[in-house]
Amino acid sequence: MFEHVDFFAGDPILSLVEVFKQDQRSEKVNLSIGVYYDENGKLPLLNSVKQAEEHLVSQHIPSAYLPMEGLLEFRKAAQILLFGEDNPLLKENKIQTVQTLGGSGALRVGAEFLHKYFSDSTVYVSDPTWGNHIAIFEAVGFNVEKYPYYDPETGGIKFEALVEFLKKISEKSIVLLHPCCHNPTGVDLTREEWDTILPIIKERNLIAFMDIAYQGLGDGLEEDAYAIRRAAYLGLSFFVSNSYSKNLSLYGERVGALSVVANTEEEAKLVFSQFQFAIRRLYSSPPFHAGHITSIVMNTPQLYEEWTSEVEGMKLRIREMRQKLYDTLSQNIPNKDFSYFTKQRGMFSFTGLTKEQVLRLRDEFAVYLVENGRMCISALNHHNIDYVANAFSKVLE
Ligand code: LMR
């Protein structure tokens, strides 16, 4: 019956986690998957989340089905986090949001909707991007192409090429953007660069799809939402997928949201109804527990305040690790410029290491990076950073 089934060889990021688990070497360090670990190398349980969970459990509420679109208080809080409390578009009901199964679920629901109404459009993703962006849009039937982004020569962005590219692609093309903490490079557009490209996206009638999975870990919760708020201000019709996996450290709960910003309240309602349509067909409704915990953190002032300082702490620790890595590598190899480590933002750094060097790190030092040279900075800590920096120095010699 199943002889003809193709074998799925696994996802390049998730498979590495399994290989890492099997590695018996005690000095091993996993810098592959995008997960925030604390100073002791542990996945944190945030205090704000712990209190929200305790509160929820103490109420002994049975787990009812949520509506297709998720919990109302959750959805409102997501809008405030992304668009800002005083955003006039919220009062005008031009933004609609649904609770989803993480950021991946938000991307998939958005992709389903877009393919139903814009199936001839091409989806453009940054070169490079998170591999699952391509997979998710291809899975619903889109043709996915790349737009110029990272420049390996300079470690910056091919900004002029990007601008030219946006000026020439067809109307209604879908452009997937990373508002902050670009995955995999850590190289973000500046505010001035956003101010240049967003009006082009609007004038050219392109459909922006902003995927924000690391809000708070770049420059701060508010600062990281700049591109989203600017696009809303400029009157673009666009989508935002966001994830709470990293900033609430709720990876396994699958908690995220999908928002649409439309020209009118009526259009926003139409798109929202199609999100419900897609959700009903994909998984019916999102998780109760995840929705409630997130909603309690976001809607209880004392927990929200505690959460924002916990996110700030993660951001600062990531920065400290960037600096320490830069210092040690610059000391070990003085003639090489490692300043990109401190310029990049968020969890990831594109190290510029070749595939051969990445494989050497894995084989000889039990240090795991993704094969494209991406490393997860937040898996570094004071116990392993010298070991990692020295291993890097060895393969760079
Ligand atoms: C990553 O890029 O490592 C994370 O977003 C986790 C994942 O699902 O790939």
Side-chain angles (χ1 to χ4, degrees), residues 322-338:
R322 288 187 174 281
Q323 186 65 43
K324 181 94 180 18
L325 189 61
Y326 166 79
D327 291 344
T328 315
L329 286 171
S330 306
Q331 234 167 31
N332 289 359
I333 313 179
N335 56 357
K336 201 167 162 18
D337 179 11
F338 292 105

Side-chain angles (χ1 to χ4, degrees), residues 40-69:
N40 294 314
K42 297 262 179 300
L43 194 66
L45 169 58
L46 302 190
N47 204 29
S48 49
V49 169
K50 186 166 170 262
Q51 291 178 61
E53 280 183 326
E54 282 167 0
H55 176 70
L56 183 62
V57 169
S58 74
Q59 291 185 308
H60 301 289
I61 312 174
S63 186
Y65 283 134
L66 292 186
M68 293 173 277
E69 67 275 16

Side-chain angles (χ1 to χ4, degrees), residues 11 13-14 32-35 104 130 132 183 214 246 348 374:
D11 175 88
I13 298 174
L14 301 183
S32 63
I33 193 159
V35 170
S104 301
W130 181 50
N132 218 21
N183 181 2
Y214 303 90
K246 337 279 169 174
F348 299 119
R374 184 192 87 172

